[in-house]
Amino acid sequence: MEKSGIYVGLDIGTTSIKVIVAEYLKGQLNIIGVGSERSDGLSRGVVIDIDHAVKAINRAITQAEEKASLKIKDVQVGLPANLLEIEPCSGMIAVNKQGDGAKEINSQDVMRVTRAALIQQLPPERQIVDVIPDEFTVDGFDGIKDPRGMVGVRLEMKGVVYTGPKTILHNTLSCVERAGLYVTDVVVAPLALASLALTDGEQDFGSVLIDLGGGQATAAVVHDHKLKYTYVDQEGGQFITKDISVVLNTSLGNAEKIKRNYGYAAGFLAPKDETFNVEVVGQADPGEFTSEYLAEIIEARLTQIFNRLKTVLNDISALQLPGGIVITGGQAALPGVKDLAEEVFETNVRLFVPSQMGLRHPSFTQVIGLIEYSAHQSEIVRVVKKAVFPEMELPASISPESGRQAETDELENQVRQEEVSQKKVDRDHKGTFDGIKKFFSTFFD
């Protein structure tokens, strides 16, 4: 159930930075402010120049503040799926530390069992970026979604942990903080996209979600309402623009305009008799080209990207999932993307475009998804996440009920001081990273 309040989504993309201010009221999402600026200081989804990125973020935030007529302080931020790894985790604790009988389970116990599940040796360059609980078990009774308030002796948790490069998380959060903003939630980008772009059935039976961005193309496999696998291809819309620039011998700025105004993803859809003029470098007179010729340039690059994605997805049998493929992202706006994708992937393909007034463009899917994901995030997920990011505050719009707020406030100091101590954790991660194929053979059972 969504929580009423104000939410601000911040999508730091390779080619553009988008900010959306939305109000959830009586189950309705109302967009009250939008900011969109060209990115600076990013390459292929990763921050490479913090100072330039901060300036671009500030410009987008200022736009959104002016339109929403409010000061933005807290934001929900998306994290790219670059080198993301997904691993099951489990942990168990004694609810009563003194061991003298059953005790009512509270948020502190949930956070302790989460930390117990996260005891693992990570390489120094990697960091846990998110944890999603699947179920809790109290004294052998499993399938519990929220154990708080129950009485028990032993508490177990099974879930999924996402880890990523430490530099990506650090640089992203550093940019947001230097822009004078406070991060209330960090969301793995494919999770946010799936919450908006995929139907309940597609998330349940399994689908492939492809985000065609400006800097890269990301494929995410969602099954049983869980993110099972991600793959990032390091080519996106910028490469299409560069191809047009090189072939037509024109500037990158002109190439981008040409792509947007006359581009088609599939050559057979381009009008045969449509032509356009192009400022050619080194020539006084503009050159004349056909939309069909332009479409051939675009189709060649997109076909390469799709074929690489197809190879990876075939290796894990993801294209056999009944939900097929859902495509979104800025480059999905090119006419004919769906037709080309169906031809390459040889499965059913659906194009997703947001339905919100004024934002009906696939480039806004990510930032709207951030808001949707945060607004619908359950309280128990927030408590689990606080074990990973103890410094993050619960945004006022999604604070727990008053009966549990005092407990959560008390935990903020305890989390920083309490050291995890337990005699034994009953878990076995043997073979977790033995290979993607083996991973999927068990994860899809």
Side-chain angles (χ1 to χ4, degrees):
M1 180 178 180
E2 67 280 344
K3 313 298 188 300
S4 298
I6 300 293
Y7 296 83
V8 181
L10 173 60
D11 175 26
I12 307 174
T14 305
T15 56
S16 68
I17 293 177
K18 294 181 175 62
V19 179
I20 285 185
V21 184
E23 180 182 23
Y24 253 110
L25 189 62
K26 296 181 180 179
Q28 287 287 100
L29 174 66
N30 301 312
I31 306 296
I32 59 177
V34 179
S36 181
E37 278 286 331
R38 285 196 61 80
S39 290
D40 198 3
L42 284 96
S43 176
R44 298 180 179 183
V46 179
V47 176
I48 59 173
D49 189 318
I50 292 179
D51 290 336
H52 283 79
V54 168
K55 292 177 182 177
I57 291 172
N58 278 327
R59 291 195 299 268
I61 289 290
T62 300
Q63 278 189 28
E65 287 178 334
E66 290 175 353
K67 294 176 182 177
S69 298
L70 56 81
K71 183 68 175 177
I72 295 175
K73 295 182 179 179
D74 300 336
V75 294
Q76 289 85 47
V77 180
L79 201 66
N82 299 57
L83 300 177
L84 184 73
E85 291 183 359
I86 307 170
E87 178 187 2
C89 65
S90 62
M92 180 181 68
I93 62 166
V95 176
N96 195 329
K97 295 180 182 179
Q98 285 71 37
D100 54 355
K103 169 181 169 291
E104 184 174 299
I105 298 168
N106 57 28
S107 293
Q108 183 179 357
D109 298 316
V110 172
M111 296 173 75
R112 285 199 299 122
V113 76
T114 300
R115 293 195 297 273
L118 298 180
I119 294 178
Q120 55 181 299
Q121 293 296 324
L122 285 178
E125 72 276 7
R126 297 193 66 80
Q127 184 171 346
I128 295 172
V129 296
D130 205 351
V131 181
I132 305 295
D134 287 337
E135 66 170 357
F136 294 89
T137 302
V138 178
D139 294 345
F141 294 95
D142 58 7
I144 298 171
K145 295 302 180 183
D146 188 346
R148 292 176 300 170
M150 299 181 179
V151 173
V153 174
R154 186 178 70 254
L155 175 64
E156 301 173 62
M157 186 197 84
K158 292 182 180 179
V160 178
V161 58
Y162 302 95
T163 66
K166 187 177 294 184
T167 182
I168 292 181
L169 179 63
H170 171 79
N171 290 351
T172 301
L173 296 182
S174 180
C175 286
V176 178
E177 290 169 0
R178 291 193 188 187
L181 304 169
Y182 188 83
V183 179
T184 59
D185 199 3
V186 175
V187 182
V188 177
L191 288 173
L193 283 170
S195 69
L196 179 67
L198 299 183
T199 65
D200 185 72
E202 288 169 339
Q203 293 188 57
D204 187 13
F205 288 95
S207 301
V208 177
L209 178 59
I210 296 179
D211 178 19
L212 291 177
Q216 57 192 22
T218 304
V221 180
V222 179
H223 181 257
D224 194 23
H225 289 272
K226 300 169 188 174
L227 177 63
K228 299 297 183 69
Y229 173 74
T230 61
Y231 172 78
V232 178
D233 186 271
Q234 295 299 324
E235 291 185 7
Q238 285 183 328
F239 283 79
I240 298 175
T241 303
K242 288 179 182 178
D243 289 344
I244 297 171
S245 174
V246 171
V247 175
L248 302 188
N249 198 24
T250 189
S251 68
L252 287 173
N254 288 335
E256 182 66 25
K257 293 177 183 177
I258 292 167
K259 181 180 71 174
R260 294 183 179 183
N261 295 333
Y262 304 101
Y264 287 83
F268 69 91
L269 292 176
K272 305 295 182 183
D273 55 350
E274 184 179 66
T275 61
F276 55 89
N277 293 328
V278 179
E279 293 182 12
V280 179
V281 176
Q283 294 185 16
D285 298 326
E288 186 177 72
F289 299 92
T290 65
S291 293
E292 187 176 19
Y293 183 54
L294 176 64
E296 292 175 0
I297 302 171
I298 297 173
E299 181 178 345
R301 177 64 68 173
L302 277 176
T303 300
Q304 286 184 1
I305 296 172
F306 286 162
N307 275 322
R308 285 194 296 269
L309 294 179
K310 180 182 180 181
T311 299
V312 174
L313 294 172
N314 267 332
D315 286 343
I316 57 174
S317 303
L319 293 179
Q320 299 176 15
L321 294 171
I325 292 175
V326 177
I327 295 182
T328 191
Q331 306 309 304
L334 285 168
V337 163
K338 177 180 179 295
D339 303 85
L340 181 62
E342 287 178 335
E343 181 181 325
V344 174
F345 292 109
E346 300 178 296
T347 188
N348 57 302
V349 177
R350 180 172 68 86
L351 181 66
F352 178 82
V353 179
S355 59
Q356 283 77 9
M357 185 69 69
L359 302 176
R360 292 171 182 169
H361 192 280
S363 63
F364 286 100
T365 304
Q366 173 68 55
V367 67
I368 299 175
L370 289 172
I371 294 173
E372 290 279 358
Y373 186 85
S374 292
H376 290 85
Q377 200 165 214
S378 67
E379 185 185 333
I380 191 65
V381 171
R382 299 292 301 181
V383 174
V384 168
K385 182 170 286 191
K386 197 151 182 72
V388 184
F389 299 105
E391 70 281 0
M392 281 190 185
E393 302 285 347
L394 291 174
S397 54
I398 50 176
S399 296
E401 297 174 0
S402 57
R404 291 176 177 170
Q405 182 63 59
E407 178 189 342
T408 303
D409 292 338
E410 181 183 353
L411 287 176
E412 292 177 4
N413 294 324
Q414 294 179 349
V415 172
R416 295 180 177 87
Q417 300 171 1
E418 181 178 321
E419 295 183 355
V420 179
S421 61
Q422 65 177 55
K423 295 180 180 179
K424 187 178 181 181
V425 178
D426 243 331
R427 60 192 181 96
D428 183 9
H429 291 303
K430 185 179 180 181
T432 302
F433 295 105
D434 283 348
I436 295 299
K437 289 185 179 179
K438 185 175 180 181
F439 176 72
F440 258 78
S441 67
T442 57
F443 226 169
F444 276 152
D445 286 344

